[in-house]
Amino acid sequence: MKPLWQIGSLAFFICALTACTQPRPSDEQVIIENYTEAYNQADLEAMSALMSETIQWLAVEGGETALMADGKEDLTTQLESYMRSGGTRSTLSGWSQNGSFVSVIETAHWSATNGEERSQSALAVYEIRDDLIQRVWYYPAE
């Protein structure tokens, strides 16, 4: 039987090795995580600080792409109105990155009027330039 200190040392080594091999999020991913956390806190000022002045929000549906918001002022005005209706929270998963472009699955969570917990997911592609969100392509929720 191995002494307890050897087992403890082995467990510590495994934990340390695992922590060292976990990929560190990219700067672009951190920007998107911060933006989503600000959204979850309904902190429009923090969200706005992560947007380019010329940000564009695009909705992709079938073969069509529609410009939903053009510029920081337009998007923040729309978000302000949307947040007043309130009650949604988003989580992010399924990250993929190609340079300045980051795709992520965003899952919105909310409580229906009957109290039932609901959720739906959509694919979003963010373009990050100069540490700011330049464009977002948002695909249909499923």
Side-chain angles (χ1 to χ4, degrees), residues 11-49:
F12 175 77
F13 175 74
I14 291 170
C15 288
L17 183 62
T18 302
C20 290
T21 61
Q22 295 297 322
R24 184 177 97 49
S26 70
D27 293 342
E28 293 84 1
Q29 184 176 341
V30 170
I31 290 166
I32 297 164
E33 289 172 334
N34 290 342
Y35 183 82
T36 303
E37 184 55 33
Y39 170 81
N40 288 338
Q41 300 297 321
D43 186 345
L44 194 53
E45 187 175 325
M47 291 175 72
S48 181

Side-chain angles (χ1 to χ4, degrees), residues 8 10 27 34 39 55 57 66 74-75 82 92 107 122 124 126:
L10 180 60
D27 293 342
N34 290 342
Y39 170 81
I55 189 171
W57 195 276
D74 185 20
L75 183 55
Y82 180 75
L92 305 173
T107 304
Y126 287 78

Side-chain angles (χ1 to χ4, degrees), residues 91 93 104-110 119-124 138-142:
T91 57
S93 63
V104 64
I105 297 169
E106 180 183 335
T107 304
H109 307 268
W110 71 94
S119 67
Q120 65 182 22
S121 297
L123 175 68
Y138 209 80
Y139 290 78
E142 297 195 1

Side-chain angles (χ1 to χ4, degrees), residues 8-138:
S9 295
L10 180 60
F12 175 77
F13 175 74
I14 291 170
C15 288
L17 183 62
T18 302
C20 290
T21 61
Q22 295 297 322
R24 184 177 97 49
S26 70
D27 293 342
E28 293 84 1
Q29 184 176 341
V30 170
I31 290 166
I32 297 164
E33 289 172 334
N34 290 342
Y35 183 82
T36 303
E37 184 55 33
Y39 170 81
N40 288 338
Q41 300 297 321
D43 186 345
L44 194 53
E45 187 175 325
M47 291 175 72
S48 181
L50 295 169
M51 296 176 197
S52 160
E53 287 295 327
T54 57
I55 189 171
Q56 291 181 316
W57 195 276
L58 301 117
V60 180
E61 182 79 39
E64 302 289 318
T65 302
L67 182 60
M68 304 304 289
D70 195 13
K72 185 190 285 194
E73 185 177 332
D74 185 20
L75 183 55
T76 54
T77 299
Q78 289 185 44
L79 284 167
E80 186 174 44
S81 175
Y82 180 75
M83 287 179 169
R84 272 187 254 136
S85 63
T88 64
R89 243 185 98 59
S90 289
T91 57
L92 305 173
S93 63
W95 296 88
S96 181
Q97 184 165 353
N98 184 21
S100 300
F101 297 90
V102 181
S103 66
V104 64
I105 297 169
E106 180 183 335
T107 304
H109 307 268
W110 71 94
S111 294
T113 53
N114 64 2
E116 179 183 346
E117 291 298 311
R118 309 286 307 268
S119 67
Q120 65 182 22
S121 297
L123 175 68
V125 178
Y126 287 78
E127 179 182 358
I128 308 296
R129 298 281 178 196
D130 299 321
D131 297 326
L132 296 171
I133 300 168
Q134 180 64 50
R135 264 180 217 87
V136 181
W137 292 266
Y138 209 80

